[in-house]
Amino acid sequence: MPSMKQIIFLIIVMSVFQSSAALKLSQYQAKPKLILLFVVDQFRADFYSRLHKEFLPAGTDQKPGGFRYLISKGAYYPTAEYKVMEAMTCPGHSIISTGAYPAETGIIANEWYDRASKRQIKCIDDDQYGASPLRLTTSTFGDELKIISPSSKVISVSLKDRAAIMLGGHSANAALWLGDKGWETSTYYAPQIPKWAATVNEKWLRHKYSKMDI
């Protein structure tokens, strides 16, 4: 994430959607069935205006389009900035999921030298589970959602382990990322990956795909 300007899509899918009209009070009070936090690394703010014609049409609720649909139906912040020295993946995603800066989250970089253990560590290193949100000292949006509504399911999926874990948080039902042999997770979240992910991995190995193919 080399650029300070990042694009954050936060789409709250309500039970009733209206295209451009303001939401009614009853719609604000309704509980959303789905909340999607969609993060695109290195998607510059000016892409909205420069490449707008290249995006798929807005579409409809039944057959949504691409970015134009997100722009017309969701909330987006084209001038959002991280007030940090360098926007890396791990601290950047922790800022998005918690609303706090590295001084509060404890995630200061992708990796750093740990004076206590006297070794270089990664932001998601965990001696017990291998990878977890152990070093994230604040709660994420998903964590707070689980507190308010324990029956909610929080699932995080990413190409990178540190992105999936930082966005998923401490209480996620699942956090998946793409490894060299397909979808992976940490025993912190579950003893094994979901069945659907295992099926995808079988096809992955059968066709001898690699991570570089995507």
Side-chain angles (χ1 to χ4, degrees):
M1 302 172 69
S3 172
M4 290 294 288
K5 288 189 175 181
Q6 303 294 322
I7 299 300
I8 304 170
F9 298 114
L10 179 58
I11 305 103
I12 301 180
V13 181
M14 308 294 289
S15 56
V16 180
F17 243 134
Q18 291 187 354
S19 58
S20 59
L23 293 178
K24 298 179 181 179
L25 177 60
S26 60
Q27 291 175 283
Y28 276 112
Q29 294 174 334
K31 294 181 180 180
K33 294 182 179 180
L34 172 67
I35 297 175
L36 173 63
L37 175 61
F38 181 39
V39 184
V40 183
D41 281 11
Q42 302 181 33
F43 193 106
R44 284 175 17 193
D46 64 327
F47 285 178
Y48 274 123
S49 56
R50 289 180 53 207
L51 304 177
H52 187 267
K53 293 182 180 180
E54 304 297 327
F55 299 152
L56 290 175
T60 64
D61 290 342
Q62 288 71 36
K63 188 177 181 181
F67 282 116
R68 290 191 201 176
Y69 181 80
L70 301 182
I71 293 171
S72 63
K73 293 291 188 178
Y76 66 102
Y77 308 92
T79 58
E81 295 185 358
Y82 299 146
K83 296 183 183 296
V84 294
M85 181 178 68
E86 184 178 2
M88 300 179 183
T89 302
C90 209
H93 285 71
S94 67
I95 291 172
I96 292 171
S97 65
T98 66
Y101 281 121
E104 289 80 34
T105 64
I107 306 300
I108 57 176
N110 287 337
E111 56 182 71
W112 60 85
Y113 180 78
D114 182 59
R115 288 181 293 181
S117 60
K118 297 181 179 180
R119 61 187 175 92
Q120 192 81 359
I121 61 171
K122 295 180 180 179
C123 59
I124 56 171
D125 278 351
D126 186 322
D127 292 336
Q128 181 178 358
Y129 298 104
S132 82
L134 171 69
R135 303 181 190 280
L136 181 64
T137 58
T138 53
S139 61
T140 64
F141 176 82
D143 295 332
E144 295 297 322
L145 178 63
K146 296 280 283 187
I147 293 173
I148 297 172
S149 176
S151 61
S152 299
K153 287 183 171 55
V154 176
I155 299 173
S156 178
V157 180
S158 178
L159 298 181
K160 298 179 180 179
D161 49 6
R162 55 182 178 265
I165 291 174
M166 288 298 125
L167 292 174
H170 302 275
S171 306
N173 297 85
L176 300 170
W177 55 87
L178 207 54
D180 293 332
K181 296 182 180 180
W183 294 109
E184 300 176 355
T185 190
S186 165
T187 52
Y188 172 87
Y189 294 104
Q192 57 189 12
I193 59 176
K195 291 183 178 180
W196 67 263
T199 301
V200 172
N201 286 352
E202 290 177 4
K203 294 180 180 179
W204 182 286
L205 295 175
R206 187 162 56 248
H207 294 286
K208 297 181 179 180
Y209 292 143
S210 71
K211 192 174 181 180
M212 297 301 293
D213 291 330
I214 61 173

